[in-house]
Amino acid sequence: MSERELVRFESVDGIGVITIDNPPVNALSPGVPEGITAAIDRGNADPGVRAMVLIGAGRSFIAGADIRQFGKAPSRPANARRHYDVTDDSPKPVVAAIHGYALGGGLETALACHYRVAVPSAKVGLPEVQIGILPGAGGTQRLPRLIGPKAALDMIVSGRHLPAEEAHRLGIIDEVVPEAQLRDAAIAFARRVADKRPLPRIRDNDEKLAEGTADLFEATRKSIARRARNQRAPYACIEAVEAACTLPFDEGCARERKLFEEQVNSDEARALRYAFFAEREAAKLPHIPREIELRPIKTAAVVGAGTMGGGIAMSFADYGYPVKITDATQEALDRGMARIRSNYETSVKRGSLAAEEMEKRLARIEPVLGYDKIADCDVVIEAVFEQISVKEEVWKEIDAAMKPGALLYTNTSGIDIDIMANVTKRPQDVAGTHFFAPANVMKLFEVVQGTKSAPDVIASAMDLGRKIGKVSGLAGNTDGFVANRSRAPFSTEMVIMLEEGALPEQVDKVMVDFGYPVGPFVVSDISGLDIGYDTRKRRAAQYPNYRKLPIADRIVEAGRLGQKNGKGWYRYEPGDRTPHPDPEVARIIKETAAELGIAQHSFTDDEILKRMLFASVNEACKILDEGKALRASDVDVMWLYGFGFPRYRGGLMFWADTIGVREVYNQIAAWHQRYGERWAPSPLLRRLADAGTPLREAKAERLR
Ligand code: T1G
């Protein structure tokens, strides 16, 4: 495509219409900024043109700079005229006509225009902080001048996308125009303002900047301290907006640019860029044709009104789907519906949900008794007790009741999908859709491919996840699938280190300092220690060489179940979730370790971190080697959305690459010598280390 074709210019009765056409989202890829500059110049040189309109072809205005270009050599000289400045300096008015997204450099382009009109469904924002950078094309200087530093800080430090109506209220958008009439409405708008002078250049109005006091910036820094720890980008955003309030426009832009250059190749930015593309890659299924026809999903059903079943029903209702929920008895159903209502009421109390919206969502959830009541639904998700005999009973009922062609999914967190599928006469219609607790909150949606799952059943599940606000990741049918199986060694190692002398609070501090929102022992206390206890019992019966965890078992046998009964790995005051180290736990740990005769030693934070994460890196390599996951980057996406792995570290495998595949292998091999079989290096890890191939690039030939 020649440079010019990426950007088209046509004159429509004296209005120059400039169309950006760089699918899929009109990113400012090489050739686009140049095309915009040339078009603006052309419009200004054409005496027949009185004003111009900048509009995007396809589904969006401009979704920002081309993120794939970051880290590469710039495609043009640093002193080249930038389309932002050319637009701003244009002697004739330029109107940005926004639909879809105006994000990052896209909104900065619109802010360099003299007017902005948008359709109601449009979204605008400066999300650069979410990829570890800050706006680098005047956004931190123009936005505070347009809407005031406070509102600008909120947008830039959060990176959130604003709907057009809100942007209009703030003054970013001059006019909201009807959905299907954007182009004509923008041309009419341009005609109306064609002769108005002076042109409203945002850079010229400083009157709102007075709001930008030192207190405001200090307060903003304090407000983000916890969630932005270990990160630089959010603070660089604040510094740039501060510069807007203390420096003249051009000097502020130079400050912004310098901060941008410092950040764009940082570890934080590289990790967040990796996460951005890994998340999109996870949706791609190389073994299933992209154009495969998906099965329609308009109505859903959930079998099992327990904690997970209730959360799953809420996920559907939250995204507008009518959903039926059923259980074995009316009492169980009533308990389930009561839990759903109380979860929504908690959100209303917290102000994160409007009361009328709660009622709308509750109205979409219909409790029913009897499989015949759900037979017509397009999809059913089974979420009953994790016991094979119970599953088999329920699946016989589901198979007998559900209409032909219905999608039959199970929410099991580790039971072999084929066990459920083989109970039915239509195993091709069965797959796993594994939600993570709480199901209406956690974004990971692990789709599990059974031996006989049909391609359209898998593709429909992956798409369903996206439609109910989740991030879908594909897993092969193995014990614990990809997410839980790759995390299991992490959980085992953290308890084994207690046998050798570590304490829960020490391990948790290391992981919180690393960037986790809460430590893994607190996470166990939140989810309940009895669940892990039952799983360990089941595994010990199933696998002869299963590594028992006597300390974890003793804690449960001492009646410590976690937050639900006020004591677990920590002690909790009634009504308070603050974990308090408990000498009783330290006593159980010391006594059990003494009985086991295990030598005690002190731990460095680095050893604790690597023992836990390397154990999972090794397991992830085994999973890929067996073809139970397609890409190492899928594992990373699952850790980001399923286990709260700090996003600015990219993911488990990306983080391990910052240490180096060879060093990771060597350490694991050394621990294999010292600790035995559980640390046997994965053959794939050995091959990657020998070849020097980054872990994040590991792929399976196909899913098996
Ligand atoms: N650059 C390159 N590719 C992009 C892209 C971008 N900015 N945005 C999207 N894509 C690709 C994406 O990888 C996918 O490709 C396809 O487009 C569809 O995207 C100067 C420096 C716009 C909300 O951070 O948030 O401007 O997988 O699957 O779910 O100050 O994409 O099909 O091959 O995500 O409908 C700031 C990033 C850049 C916005 C659409 N902009 N994009 O979501 O589709 S930094 C952003 C998004 C910047 C300036 C700075 C989302 C979306 P493929 P998708 P979607």
Side-chain angles (χ1 to χ4, degrees):
M1 257 179 153
S2 73
E3 190 169 291
R4 199 147 292 290
E5 280 161 42
L6 286 174
V7 178
R8 294 191 297 276
F9 182 95
E10 60 194 293
S11 184
V12 181
D13 305 337
I15 303 299
V17 178
I18 302 168
T19 305
I20 298 132
D21 191 359
N22 180 30
V25 291
N26 292 331
L28 296 163
S29 312
V32 173
E34 295 83 350
I36 296 173
T37 299
I40 299 273
D41 287 345
R42 178 172 171 183
N44 282 316
D46 181 339
V49 169
R50 299 169 53 225
M52 286 169 266
V53 167
L54 196 57
I55 191 166
R59 66 184 180 113
S60 197
F61 179 66
I62 300 171
D66 186 336
I67 303 171
R68 290 190 189 284
Q69 299 303 317
F70 290 150
K72 293 185 183 159
S75 61
R76 57 211 183 102
N79 60 359
R81 295 165 66 220
R82 299 204 324 160
H83 76 277
Y84 308 99
D85 307 326
V86 171
T87 306
D88 195 352
D89 297 341
S90 164
K92 297 176 183 175
V94 183
V95 178
I98 302 170
H99 75 298
Y101 298 97
L103 300 175
L107 180 56
E108 290 173 304
T109 301
L111 293 174
C113 294
H114 309 105
Y115 301 94
R116 287 150 293 281
V117 300
V119 293
S121 62
K123 294 253 175 61
V124 306
L126 294 175
E128 284 85 344
V129 71
Q130 295 173 3
I131 51 173
I133 54 176
L134 67 156
T140 65
Q141 306 305 302
R142 288 193 172 91
L143 193 63
R145 283 175 164 78
L146 185 62
I147 66 174
K150 198 163 182 309
L153 274 174
D154 161 55
M155 278 182 68
I156 296 171
V157 176
S158 68
R160 69 186 178 90
H161 301 177
L162 269 68
E165 292 300 344
E166 184 183 353
H168 185 225
R169 276 198 306 278
L170 281 171
I172 298 172
I173 301 293
D174 296 291
E175 190 172 301
V176 176
V177 299
E179 278 298 343
Q181 299 161 20
L182 177 64
R183 183 186 156 91
D184 296 345
I187 291 172
F189 186 100
R191 200 161 280 126
R192 277 205 311 275
V193 299
D195 305 322
K196 265 196 183 165
R197 294 296 181 279
L199 294 177
R201 291 193 168 86
I202 296 175
R203 58 174 295 155
D204 299 337
N205 51 29
D206 293 356
E207 70 267 5
K208 289 192 178 167
L209 295 179
E211 179 193 64
T213 61
D215 293 352
L216 170 68
F217 297 112
E218 207 36 46
T220 307
R221 287 187 182 93
K222 281 210 178 69
S223 70
I224 64 166
R226 180 154 171 70
R227 72 175 167 79
R229 68 187 191 283
N230 297 339
Q231 295 166 72
R232 170 76 185 120
Y235 294 99
C237 289
I238 297 172
E239 267 175 59
V241 175
E242 199 165 15
C245 301
T246 53
L247 298 170
F249 181 79
D250 291 329
E251 287 174 42
C253 283
R255 179 88 188 105
E256 174 198 83
R257 196 73 208 160
K258 188 165 179 313
L259 288 164
F260 178 87
E261 298 298 348
E262 284 165 7
Q263 197 56 22
V264 71
N265 290 319
S266 65
D267 291 348
E268 178 185 342
R270 268 202 288 269
L272 288 164
R273 276 201 297 272
Y274 165 81
F276 176 87
F277 288 115
E279 192 178 321
R280 280 144 187 87
E281 198 64 18
K284 297 177 184 154
L285 310 178
H287 60 303
I288 297 178
R290 259 189 114 141
E291 63 292 342
I292 192 165
E293 194 182 334
L294 303 179
R295 297 198 192 173
I297 300 179
K298 292 201 176 29
T299 56
V302 178
V303 177
T307 309
M308 288 305 287
I312 294 169
M314 291 172 74
S315 299
F316 279 104
D318 292 353
Y319 282 81
Y321 288 88
V323 54
K324 293 180 177 172
I325 184 164
T326 186
D327 206 312
T329 65
Q330 189 61 50
E331 295 69 43
L333 206 45
D334 295 346
R335 267 199 313 276
M337 287 307 295
R339 188 183 299 112
I340 290 172
R341 174 171 281 279
S342 103
N343 286 341
Y344 276 132
E345 282 166 351
T346 305
S347 302
V348 171
K349 274 201 214 89
R350 284 204 194 121
S352 59
L353 182 69
E356 56 276 8
E357 179 56 26
M358 170 181 74
E359 294 309 331
K360 276 198 202 135
R361 295 179 186 190
L362 280 168
R364 294 189 192 114
I365 305 175
E366 184 190 356
V368 296
L369 268 187
Y371 287 93
D372 58 322
K373 302 279 188 330
I374 64 170
D376 276 342
C377 291
D378 299 321
V379 60
V380 59
I381 302 203
E382 166 271 310
V384 301
F385 190 59
E386 289 279 86
Q387 203 166 322
I388 292 175
S389 55
V390 176
K391 297 279 191 196
E392 289 177 327
E393 275 319 300
V394 167
W395 274 83
K396 282 193 195 110
E397 299 278 1
I398 288 175
D399 185 35
M402 297 306 293
K403 68 179 180 184
L407 294 160
L408 312 180
Y409 296 147
T410 171
N411 176 57
T412 181
S413 62
I415 294 177
D416 179 347
I417 301 294
D418 293 342
I419 291 175
M420 281 75 92
N422 295 338
V423 163
T424 74
K425 298 181 193 58
R426 42 183 153 168
Q428 74 284 358
D429 294 342
V430 178
T433 51
H434 179 208
F435 290 73
F436 287 73
N440 59 310
V441 177
M442 294 302 285
K443 286 187 64 111
L444 182 55
F445 187 76
E446 189 176 30
V447 173
V448 185
Q449 180 168 310
T451 309
K452 301 185 184 118
S453 302
D456 67 330
V457 169
I458 295 298
S460 299
M462 293 288 283
D463 186 62
L464 172 62
R466 204 170 55 74
K467 289 218 171 80
I468 57 174
K470 308 291 185 191
V471 174
S472 303
L474 186 65
N477 189 18
T478 177
D479 191 351
F481 313 135
V482 172
N484 284 347
R485 180 179 157 186
S486 63
R487 190 170 187 279
F490 173 102
S491 312
T492 300
E493 214 52 38
M494 77 186 207
V495 176
I496 290 178
M497 287 191 286
L498 303 184
E499 296 173 2
E500 299 167 34
L503 284 172
E505 53 269 29
Q506 182 187 11
V507 172
D508 278 0
K509 182 176 179 315
V510 169
M511 301 319 272
V512 169
D513 290 351
F514 178 71
Y516 275 92
V518 285
F521 283 102
V522 173
V523 171
S524 302
D525 275 354
I526 293 170
S527 33
L529 303 183
D530 46 340
I531 296 170
Y533 185 80
D534 296 342
T535 306
R536 287 193 298 277
K537 291 288 165 247
R538 181 167 61 79
R539 292 241 156 92
Q542 214 172 345
Y543 303 108
N545 308 332
Y546 181 71
R547 174 47 160 97
K548 293 199 173 80
L549 299 175
I551 289 179
D553 293 346
R554 297 266 175 95
I555 293 286
V556 176
E557 287 150 9
R560 309 179 68 96
L561 306 182
Q563 278 187 0
K564 58 183 156 190
N565 75 343
K567 54 183 179 177
W569 290 108
Y570 293 92
R571 179 180 56 74
Y572 301 85
E573 297 296 336
D576 180 7
R577 293 184 172 194
T578 312
H580 300 285
D582 190 333
E584 176 59 14
V585 170
R587 184 188 61 72
I588 292 172
I589 291 172
K590 290 280 169 268
E591 279 178 12
T592 311
E595 269 174 47
L596 296 168
I598 295 177
Q600 303 293 289
H601 67 93
S602 63
F603 282 84
T604 63
D605 290 1
D606 189 55
E607 181 183 0
I608 288 174
L609 185 71
K610 290 177 177 168
R611 283 269 298 265
M612 293 167 71
L613 293 175
F614 282 12
S616 284
V617 169
N618 198 28
E619 190 66 27
C621 289
K622 293 175 186 170
I623 292 170
L624 286 158
D625 217 3
E626 294 165 24
K628 296 303 179 186
L630 286 171
R631 295 160 285 238
S633 61
D634 292 357
V635 177
D636 281 347
V637 169
M638 292 188 184
W639 275 62
L640 294 177
Y641 286 103
F643 304 131
F645 191 91
R647 195 178 173 88
Y648 57 85
R649 295 192 186 276
L652 177 71
M653 305 301 258
F654 183 94
W655 165 78
D657 278 334
T658 62
I659 294 161
V661 61
R662 171 51 68 183
E663 188 180 332
V664 171
Y665 172 78
N666 291 349
Q667 179 62 77
I668 289 175
W671 280 331
H672 181 211
Q673 297 308 314
R674 184 163 164 194
Y675 295 113
E677 205 40 39
R678 78 174 193 276
W679 279 102
S682 144
L684 172 63
L685 176 59
R686 173 73 188 262
R687 294 197 302 274
L688 295 171
D690 292 347
T693 307
L695 287 150
R696 66 182 176 277
E697 292 172 12
K699 289 187 170 58
E701 276 140 49
R702 60 183 180 80
L703 201 72
R704 276 182 268 149

